[in-house]
Amino acid sequence: MHIKMVAGDSAGTVTAFYLSSQNSEHDEIDFEFLGNRTGQPYILQTNVFTGGTGNREQRINLWFDPSKDYHSYSVLWNMYQIVFFVDDVPIRVFKNSKDIGVKFPFNQPMKIYSSLWNADDWATRGGLEKTNWEKAPFVASYRGFHVDGCEASVNAKFCETQGKRWWDQKEFQDLDANQYKRLKWVRKRYTIYNYCTDRVRFPVPPPECRRDRDI
């Protein structure tokens, strides 16, 4: 999806682009763009829910003003990994770690959603900055949507073409050396929060963090 974020004073707003399952064991893959007071950087929060459990937030400052122009935000989701991209730069990887006891969202289909909503109880500076409704309407613009995927009913347990489509082939089973270099650049320069390094919430790092190269 190509998105241009809310311009100006967007504090308290969240612009979202995400995938979400419909069944009880909730799976979700999130892009959430946290609004700001004028002059402060937008924060991009990503999260992954598997089997009803989330709490895997990562936050970065973007290296551009996302309200000035359209930028590309995309997800690669296959049986091996989930990769979040901004303008083709990988900003996060979540590997399939079922072999070490971490659920991976792959046993049910997800729908794609976009939304813009008020979350001024937490979105900007932990809820200290409230939405200024005098600045309404708040407008985010979406265009250029494209999806390659396996169509399935809401009750499907697997994709009939599993392993046969382009996204399951060897070159998409892991990042290449250049992509890992760019991911390292994002983590070093722009990451402001990573659940994997939060020892207050997680005294012992979650098991997937080492495989995802977050620690």
Side-chain angles (χ1 to χ4, degrees), residues 152-176:
S153 73
V154 71
N155 295 316
K157 298 297 183 184
F158 62 91
C159 174
E160 291 184 1
T161 58
Q162 185 170 307
K164 300 178 182 178
R165 307 292 286 272
W166 66 261
W167 53 83
D168 284 326
Q169 303 312 304
K170 186 174 179 58
E171 64 183 292
F172 300 103
Q173 295 176 16
D174 196 5
L175 300 186
D176 62 28

PDB file of all heavy atoms in Angstrom, residues 152-176:
ATOM      1  N   ALA A 152      -8.712 -17.804   0.218  1.00  0.00           N
ATOM      2  CA  ALA A 152      -9.179 -18.908   1.049  1.00  0.00           C
ATOM      3  C   ALA A 152     -10.403 -18.480   1.837  1.00  0.00           C
ATOM      4  O   ALA A 152     -10.593 -17.297   2.119  1.00  0.00           O
ATOM      5  CB  ALA A 152      -8.071 -19.354   2.012  1.00  0.00           C
ATOM      6  N   SER A 153     -11.232 -19.443   2.214  1.00  0.00           N
ATOM      7  CA  SER A 153     -12.374 -19.156   3.063  1.00  0.00           C
ATOM      8  C   SER A 153     -11.887 -18.859   4.470  1.00  0.00           C
ATOM      9  O   SER A 153     -10.752 -19.191   4.841  1.00  0.00           O
ATOM     10  CB  SER A 153     -13.333 -20.347   3.094  1.00  0.00           C
ATOM     11  OG  SER A 153     -12.787 -21.397   3.863  1.00  0.00           O
ATOM     12  N   VAL A 154     -12.735 -18.242   5.253  1.00  0.00           N
ATOM     13  CA  VAL A 154     -12.342 -17.848   6.600  1.00  0.00           C
ATOM     14  C   VAL A 154     -12.007 -19.061   7.473  1.00  0.00           C
ATOM     15  O   VAL A 154     -11.275 -18.946   8.459  1.00  0.00           O
ATOM     16  CB  VAL A 154     -13.457 -16.990   7.248  1.00  0.00           C
ATOM     17  CG1 VAL A 154     -14.670 -17.845   7.592  1.00  0.00           C
ATOM     18  CG2 VAL A 154     -12.950 -16.259   8.471  1.00  0.00           C
ATOM     19  N   ASN A 155     -12.503 -20.234   7.109  1.00  0.00           N
ATOM     20  CA  ASN A 155     -12.267 -21.443   7.907  1.00  0.00           C
ATOM     21  C   ASN A 155     -11.134 -22.314   7.379  1.00  0.00           C
ATOM     22  O   ASN A 155     -10.890 -23.397   7.905  1.00  0.00           O
ATOM     23  CB  ASN A 155     -13.551 -22.273   7.986  1.00  0.00           C
ATOM     24  CG  ASN A 155     -14.652 -21.547   8.737  1.00  0.00           C
ATOM     25  OD1 ASN A 155     -14.405 -20.969   9.780  1.00  0.00           O
ATOM     26  ND2 ASN A 155     -15.860 -21.554   8.181  1.00  0.00           N
ATOM     27  N   ALA A 156     -10.430 -21.853   6.354  1.00  0.00           N
ATOM     28  CA  ALA A 156      -9.356 -22.662   5.766  1.00  0.00           C
ATOM     29  C   ALA A 156      -8.219 -22.860   6.760  1.00  0.00           C
ATOM     30  O   ALA A 156      -7.888 -21.975   7.534  1.00  0.00           O
ATOM     31  CB  ALA A 156      -8.841 -22.007   4.499  1.00  0.00           C
ATOM     32  N   LYS A 157      -7.597 -24.026   6.728  1.00  0.00           N
ATOM     33  CA  LYS A 157      -6.477 -24.353   7.601  1.00  0.00           C
ATOM     34  C   LYS A 157      -5.132 -24.229   6.893  1.00  0.00           C
ATOM     35  O   LYS A 157      -4.087 -24.180   7.535  1.00  0.00           O
ATOM     36  CB  LYS A 157      -6.623 -25.776   8.156  1.00  0.00           C
ATOM     37  CG  LYS A 157      -7.865 -25.967   9.023  1.00  0.00           C
ATOM     38  CD  LYS A 157      -7.820 -25.082  10.268  1.00  0.00           C
ATOM     39  CE  LYS A 157      -9.022 -25.332  11.166  1.00  0.00           C
ATOM     40  NZ  LYS A 157      -9.046 -24.432  12.332  1.00  0.00           N
ATOM     41  N   PHE A 158      -5.158 -24.224   5.569  1.00  0.00           N
ATOM     42  CA  PHE A 158      -3.921 -24.080   4.816  1.00  0.00           C
ATOM     43  C   PHE A 158      -4.259 -23.601   3.411  1.00  0.00           C
ATOM     44  O   PHE A 158      -5.408 -23.652   2.978  1.00  0.00           O
ATOM     45  CB  PHE A 158      -3.150 -25.405   4.761  1.00  0.00           C
ATOM     46  CG  PHE A 158      -3.891 -26.521   4.069  1.00  0.00           C
ATOM     47  CD1 PHE A 158      -3.742 -26.745   2.707  1.00  0.00           C
ATOM     48  CD2 PHE A 158      -4.744 -27.351   4.787  1.00  0.00           C
ATOM     49  CE1 PHE A 158      -4.430 -27.759   2.070  1.00  0.00           C
ATOM     50  CE2 PHE A 158      -5.441 -28.370   4.168  1.00  0.00           C
ATOM     51  CZ  PHE A 158      -5.285 -28.569   2.810  1.00  0.00           C
ATOM     52  N   CYS A 159      -3.248 -23.143   2.696  1.00  0.00           N
ATOM     53  CA  CYS A 159      -3.398 -22.685   1.321  1.00  0.00           C
ATOM     54  C   CYS A 159      -3.176 -23.872   0.388  1.00  0.00           C
ATOM     55  O   CYS A 159      -2.195 -24.608   0.523  1.00  0.00           O
ATOM     56  CB  CYS A 159      -2.382 -21.585   1.040  1.00  0.00           C
ATOM     57  SG  CYS A 159      -2.329 -21.035  -0.666  1.00  0.00           S
ATOM     58  N   GLU A 160      -4.072 -24.053  -0.564  1.00  0.00           N
ATOM     59  CA  GLU A 160      -3.978 -25.217  -1.455  1.00  0.00           C
ATOM     60  C   GLU A 160      -2.719 -25.189  -2.311  1.00  0.00           C
ATOM     61  O   GLU A 160      -2.252 -26.234  -2.763  1.00  0.00           O
ATOM     62  CB  GLU A 160      -5.227 -25.292  -2.341  1.00  0.00           C
ATOM     63  CG  GLU A 160      -6.496 -25.648  -1.559  1.00  0.00           C
ATOM     64  CD  GLU A 160      -7.699 -25.815  -2.463  1.00  0.00           C
ATOM     65  OE1 GLU A 160      -7.534 -25.663  -3.706  1.00  0.00           O
ATOM     66  OE2 GLU A 160      -8.796 -26.097  -1.948  1.00  0.00           O
ATOM     67  N   THR A 161      -2.181 -24.003  -2.547  1.00  0.00           N
ATOM     68  CA  THR A 161      -0.961 -23.888  -3.365  1.00  0.00           C
ATOM     69  C   THR A 161       0.280 -23.687  -2.491  1.00  0.00           C
ATOM     70  O   THR A 161       1.306 -23.208  -2.970  1.00  0.00           O
ATOM     71  CB  THR A 161      -1.093 -22.718  -4.354  1.00  0.00           C
ATOM     72  OG1 THR A 161      -1.342 -21.502  -3.623  1.00  0.00           O
ATOM     73  CG2 THR A 161      -2.218 -22.956  -5.341  1.00  0.00           C
ATOM     74  N   GLN A 162       0.195 -24.058  -1.232  1.00  0.00           N
ATOM     75  CA  GLN A 162       1.303 -23.857  -0.292  1.00  0.00           C
ATOM     76  C   GLN A 162       2.611 -24.425  -0.825  1.00  0.00           C
ATOM     77  O   GLN A 162       2.682 -25.571  -1.252  1.00  0.00           O
ATOM     78  CB  GLN A 162       0.957 -24.519   1.040  1.00  0.00           C
ATOM     79  CG  GLN A 162       1.982 -24.286   2.128  1.00  0.00           C
ATOM     80  CD  GLN A 162       1.462 -24.765   3.479  1.00  0.00           C
ATOM     81  OE1 GLN A 162       0.378 -24.384   3.894  1.00  0.00           O
ATOM     82  NE2 GLN A 162       2.232 -25.601   4.154  1.00  0.00           N
ATOM     83  N   GLY A 163       3.648 -23.581  -0.821  1.00  0.00           N
ATOM     84  CA  GLY A 163       4.961 -23.998  -1.281  1.00  0.00           C
ATOM     85  C   GLY A 163       5.196 -23.848  -2.769  1.00  0.00           C
ATOM     86  O   GLY A 163       6.326 -24.016  -3.240  1.00  0.00           O
ATOM     87  N   LYS A 164       4.144 -23.499  -3.520  1.00  0.00           N
ATOM     88  CA  LYS A 164       4.253 -23.458  -4.977  1.00  0.00           C
ATOM     89  C   LYS A 164       4.312 -22.043  -5.548  1.00  0.00           C
ATOM     90  O   LYS A 164       4.699 -21.880  -6.704  1.00  0.00           O
ATOM     91  CB  LYS A 164       3.068 -24.195  -5.610  1.00  0.00           C
ATOM     92  CG  LYS A 164       2.973 -25.667  -5.218  1.00  0.00           C
ATOM     93  CD  LYS A 164       1.747 -26.322  -5.830  1.00  0.00           C
ATOM     94  CE  LYS A 164       1.623 -27.783  -5.414  1.00  0.00           C
ATOM     95  NZ  LYS A 164       0.406 -28.419  -5.978  1.00  0.00           N
ATOM     96  N   ARG A 165       3.935 -21.043  -4.769  1.00  0.00           N
ATOM     97  CA  ARG A 165       3.865 -19.677  -5.281  1.00  0.00           C
ATOM     98  C   ARG A 165       5.195 -18.953  -5.062  1.00  0.00           C
ATOM     99  O   ARG A 165       6.066 -19.412  -4.326  1.00  0.00           O
ATOM    100  CB  ARG A 165       2.722 -18.933  -4.605  1.00  0.00           C
ATOM    101  CG  ARG A 165       1.370 -19.652  -4.696  1.00  0.00           C
ATOM    102  CD  ARG A 165       0.823 -19.697  -6.116  1.00  0.00           C
ATOM    103  NE  ARG A 165       0.322 -18.415  -6.524  1.00  0.00           N
ATOM    104  CZ  ARG A 165      -0.938 -17.988  -6.316  1.00  0.00           C
ATOM    105  NH1 ARG A 165      -1.803 -18.776  -5.704  1.00  0.00           N
ATOM    106  NH2 ARG A 165      -1.329 -16.801  -6.723  1.00  0.00           N
ATOM    107  N   TRP A 166       5.355 -17.800  -5.708  1.00  0.00           N
ATOM    108  CA  TRP A 166       6.649 -17.123  -5.697  1.00  0.00           C
ATOM    109  C   TRP A 166       7.128 -16.786  -4.289  1.00  0.00           C
ATOM    110  O   TRP A 166       8.324 -16.843  -3.996  1.00  0.00           O
ATOM    111  CB  TRP A 166       6.618 -15.865  -6.569  1.00  0.00           C
ATOM    112  CG  TRP A 166       5.726 -14.750  -6.107  1.00  0.00           C
ATOM    113  CD1 TRP A 166       4.474 -14.455  -6.544  1.00  0.00           C
ATOM    114  CD2 TRP A 166       6.041 -13.754  -5.110  1.00  0.00           C
ATOM    115  NE1 TRP A 166       3.970 -13.354  -5.884  1.00  0.00           N
ATOM    116  CE2 TRP A 166       4.916 -12.900  -5.010  1.00  0.00           C
ATOM    117  CE3 TRP A 166       7.148 -13.498  -4.308  1.00  0.00           C
ATOM    118  CZ2 TRP A 166       4.868 -11.821  -4.132  1.00  0.00           C
ATOM    119  CZ3 TRP A 166       7.109 -12.417  -3.420  1.00  0.00           C
ATOM    120  CH2 TRP A 166       5.970 -11.599  -3.344  1.00  0.00           C
ATOM    121  N   TRP A 167       6.198 -16.443  -3.402  1.00  0.00           N
ATOM    122  CA  TRP A 167       6.612 -15.971  -2.080  1.00  0.00           C
ATOM    123  C   TRP A 167       7.141 -17.084  -1.171  1.00  0.00           C
ATOM    124  O   TRP A 167       7.685 -16.792  -0.107  1.00  0.00           O
ATOM    125  CB  TRP A 167       5.462 -15.248  -1.381  1.00  0.00           C
ATOM    126  CG  TRP A 167       4.184 -16.049  -1.317  1.00  0.00           C
ATOM    127  CD1 TRP A 167       3.853 -17.004  -0.400  1.00  0.00           C
ATOM    128  CD2 TRP A 167       3.084 -15.954  -2.216  1.00  0.00           C
ATOM    129  NE1 TRP A 167       2.609 -17.513  -0.669  1.00  0.00           N
ATOM    130  CE2 TRP A 167       2.104 -16.883  -1.773  1.00  0.00           C
ATOM    131  CE3 TRP A 167       2.800 -15.167  -3.339  1.00  0.00           C
ATOM    132  CZ2 TRP A 167       0.878 -17.057  -2.421  1.00  0.00           C
ATOM    133  CZ3 TRP A 167       1.584 -15.342  -3.979  1.00  0.00           C
ATOM    134  CH2 TRP A 167       0.638 -16.276  -3.525  1.00  0.00           C
ATOM    135  N   ASP A 168       6.975 -18.350  -1.562  1.00  0.00           N
ATOM    136  CA  ASP A 168       7.499 -19.465  -0.770  1.00  0.00           C
ATOM    137  C   ASP A 168       8.817 -20.016  -1.305  1.00  0.00           C
ATOM    138  O   ASP A 168       9.364 -20.971  -0.735  1.00  0.00           O
ATOM    139  CB  ASP A 168       6.478 -20.611  -0.721  1.00  0.00           C
ATOM    140  CG  ASP A 168       5.332 -20.320   0.234  1.00  0.00           C
ATOM    141  OD1 ASP A 168       5.568 -19.668   1.265  1.00  0.00           O
ATOM    142  OD2 ASP A 168       4.194 -20.741  -0.049  1.00  0.00           O
ATOM    143  N   GLN A 169       9.313 -19.417  -2.396  1.00  0.00           N
ATOM    144  CA  GLN A 169      10.533 -19.953  -2.990  1.00  0.00           C
ATOM    145  C   GLN A 169      11.767 -19.554  -2.187  1.00  0.00           C
ATOM    146  O   GLN A 169      11.721 -18.678  -1.312  1.00  0.00           O
ATOM    147  CB  GLN A 169      10.647 -19.508  -4.452  1.00  0.00           C
ATOM    148  CG  GLN A 169       9.438 -19.905  -5.298  1.00  0.00           C
ATOM    149  CD  GLN A 169       9.036 -21.363  -5.104  1.00  0.00           C
ATOM    150  OE1 GLN A 169       9.841 -22.265  -5.283  1.00  0.00           O
ATOM    151  NE2 GLN A 169       7.780 -21.595  -4.735  1.00  0.00           N
ATOM    152  N   LYS A 170      12.889 -20.196  -2.488  1.00  0.00           N
ATOM    153  CA  LYS A 170      14.091 -20.096  -1.660  1.00  0.00           C
ATOM    154  C   LYS A 170      14.541 -18.663  -1.405  1.00  0.00           C
ATOM    155  O   LYS A 170      14.945 -18.317  -0.292  1.00  0.00           O
ATOM    156  CB  LYS A 170      15.226 -20.899  -2.303  1.00  0.00           C
ATOM    157  CG  LYS A 170      16.491 -20.971  -1.449  1.00  0.00           C
ATOM    158  CD  LYS A 170      17.525 -21.896  -2.044  1.00  0.00           C
ATOM    159  CE  LYS A 170      18.786 -21.947  -1.203  1.00  0.00           C
ATOM    160  NZ  LYS A 170      18.539 -22.367   0.187  1.00  0.00           N
ATOM    161  N   GLU A 171      14.464 -17.801  -2.416  1.00  0.00           N
ATOM    162  CA  GLU A 171      14.985 -16.447  -2.250  1.00  0.00           C
ATOM    163  C   GLU A 171      14.156 -15.607  -1.274  1.00  0.00           C
ATOM    164  O   GLU A 171      14.605 -14.539  -0.823  1.00  0.00           O
ATOM    165  CB  GLU A 171      15.059 -15.731  -3.599  1.00  0.00           C
ATOM    166  CG  GLU A 171      13.721 -15.512  -4.267  1.00  0.00           C
ATOM    167  CD  GLU A 171      13.864 -14.871  -5.635  1.00  0.00           C
ATOM    168  OE1 GLU A 171      14.267 -13.694  -5.698  1.00  0.00           O
ATOM    169  OE2 GLU A 171      13.580 -15.561  -6.632  1.00  0.00           O
ATOM    170  N   PHE A 172      12.951 -16.093  -0.920  1.00  0.00           N
ATOM    171  CA  PHE A 172      12.097 -15.364   0.012  1.00  0.00           C
ATOM    172  C   PHE A 172      11.996 -16.052   1.374  1.00  0.00           C
ATOM    173  O   PHE A 172      11.197 -15.657   2.215  1.00  0.00           O
ATOM    174  CB  PHE A 172      10.703 -15.173  -0.588  1.00  0.00           C
ATOM    175  CG  PHE A 172      10.714 -14.405  -1.876  1.00  0.00           C
ATOM    176  CD1 PHE A 172      10.568 -15.063  -3.092  1.00  0.00           C
ATOM    177  CD2 PHE A 172      10.912 -13.032  -1.885  1.00  0.00           C
ATOM    178  CE1 PHE A 172      10.599 -14.374  -4.288  1.00  0.00           C
ATOM    179  CE2 PHE A 172      10.947 -12.335  -3.071  1.00  0.00           C
ATOM    180  CZ  PHE A 172      10.787 -12.998  -4.277  1.00  0.00           C
ATOM    181  N   GLN A 173      12.823 -17.066   1.596  1.00  0.00           N
ATOM    182  CA  GLN A 173      12.801 -17.777   2.865  1.00  0.00           C
ATOM    183  C   GLN A 173      13.656 -17.107   3.925  1.00  0.00           C
ATOM    184  O   GLN A 173      13.570 -17.441   5.105  1.00  0.00           O
ATOM    185  CB  GLN A 173      13.240 -19.230   2.642  1.00  0.00           C
ATOM    186  CG  GLN A 173      12.282 -20.013   1.766  1.00  0.00           C
ATOM    187  CD  GLN A 173      12.757 -21.421   1.457  1.00  0.00           C
ATOM    188  OE1 GLN A 173      13.654 -21.940   2.113  1.00  0.00           O
ATOM    189  NE2 GLN A 173      12.161 -22.043   0.450  1.00  0.00           N
ATOM    190  N   ASP A 174      14.486 -16.159   3.505  1.00  0.00           N
ATOM    191  CA  ASP A 174      15.325 -15.396   4.414  1.00  0.00           C
ATOM    192  C   ASP A 174      15.715 -14.102   3.715  1.00  0.00           C
ATOM    193  O   ASP A 174      15.599 -13.992   2.483  1.00  0.00           O
ATOM    194  CB  ASP A 174      16.579 -16.201   4.783  1.00  0.00           C
ATOM    195  CG  ASP A 174      17.310 -15.652   6.001  1.00  0.00           C
ATOM    196  OD1 ASP A 174      16.806 -14.698   6.628  1.00  0.00           O
ATOM    197  OD2 ASP A 174      18.393 -16.182   6.325  1.00  0.00           O
ATOM    198  N   LEU A 175      16.161 -13.107   4.479  1.00  0.00           N
ATOM    199  CA  LEU A 175      16.714 -11.910   3.864  1.00  0.00           C
ATOM    200  C   LEU A 175      18.081 -12.224   3.275  1.00  0.00           C
ATOM    201  O   LEU A 175      18.796 -13.110   3.766  1.00  0.00           O
ATOM    202  CB  LEU A 175      16.862 -10.794   4.903  1.00  0.00           C
ATOM    203  CG  LEU A 175      15.610 -10.310   5.624  1.00  0.00           C
ATOM    204  CD1 LEU A 175      15.965  -9.113   6.500  1.00  0.00           C
ATOM    205  CD2 LEU A 175      14.501  -9.971   4.659  1.00  0.00           C
ATOM    206  N   ASP A 176      18.460 -11.501   2.221  1.00  0.00           N
ATOM    207  CA  ASP A 176      19.811 -11.658   1.697  1.00  0.00           C
ATOM    208  C   ASP A 176      20.761 -10.737   2.460  1.00  0.00           C
ATOM    209  O   ASP A 176      20.346  -9.974   3.348  1.00  0.00           O
ATOM    210  CB  ASP A 176      19.862 -11.405   0.188  1.00  0.00           C
ATOM    211  CG  ASP A 176      19.446  -9.993  -0.217  1.00  0.00           C
ATOM    212  OD1 ASP A 176      19.625  -9.047   0.593  1.00  0.00           O
ATOM    213  OD2 ASP A 176      18.955  -9.821  -1.353  1.00  0.00           O
TER     214      ASP A 176
END
